[in-house]
Amino acid sequence: MASKSGNYGATLLMKQLGALNKDPNESFSVGMADDNIFRWNVLVVGPPDSMYEGGFFKAVLEFPEDFPNSPPVMTFTSTMFHPNIYPDGKVCISILHPPGEDKFNEFESATERWRPIIGIEAVLVSVVSMLSSPNINSPANIDASKLFRDDLKQFKRQVRRTVQRSMED
């Protein structure tokens, strides 16, 4: 049985999904996965003028039962090579980190982390922005971060392969 917050979360997600489909963003599209409002399929379009331009990247957004008190988890199902995306596809950006201070990460303030008032569109816009501007100070993929820092030409080559692979999927 769904909890009260689960009902509120489901209602909020239905409202946000409806708004995103009524007024679509050219950078991404969303839809419910398996008729489950707590699991969305996402298609992210590689941002223009970025190394990811031309790519179509599939991802899943999974919302916790206590949404919006806790953030969703976004995982790319398309192969991704990016400093802020773990090798398993999980996105690592501040807006998706649980609320509050993180004593282990001095680069991130509590105001950059998840707050219940943040809409899903803001999360997706942040992910698109992350593709254009990697944060190598807080890497999820050490190899991608190191390559970005030390051999940008090789990093771009790897990203081009990632973009090509996304267009074949």
Side-chain angles (χ1 to χ4, degrees), residues 103-140:
K103 64 183 178 196
F104 299 109
N105 185 353
E106 73 271 11
F107 294 110
E108 185 178 85
S109 75
T111 58
E112 296 171 295
R113 296 167 71 89
W114 177 257
R115 295 184 314 280
I117 59 163
I118 295 173
I120 300 311
E121 183 173 19
V123 169
L124 294 169
V125 166
S126 293
V127 170
V128 171
S129 174
M130 170 203 76
L131 290 177
S132 296
S133 306
N135 175 4
I136 61 169
N137 292 322
S138 181

Side-chain angles (χ1 to χ4, degrees), residues 4-20 37-38 40 63-70 72 114-121:
K4 280 193 189 313
S5 65
N7 288 339
Y8 174 70
T11 302
L12 186 60
L13 288 169
M14 287 296 280
K15 189 183 283 186
Q16 290 189 40
L17 181 63
L20 285 168
I37 193 60
F38 288 96
W40 294 9
F63 300 91
E65 281 195 29
D66 68 342
F67 180 83
N69 296 323
S70 296
W114 177 257
R115 295 184 314 280
I117 59 163
I118 295 173
I120 300 311
E121 183 173 19

Side-chain angles (χ1 to χ4, degrees), residues 59 74-80 84-92:
M74 184 167 176
T75 307
F76 279 95
T77 55
S78 296
T79 301
M80 291 298 285
N84 307 115
I85 300 172
Y86 286 100
D88 70 358
K90 187 176 173 192
V91 175
C92 180

Side-chain angles (χ1 to χ4, degrees), residues 27 44-55 57 127-129 131-132:
S27 300
V44 176
V45 179
D49 302 320
S50 79
M51 291 180 253
Y52 296 86
E53 183 173 21
F57 306 103
V127 170
V128 171
S129 174
L131 290 177
S132 296

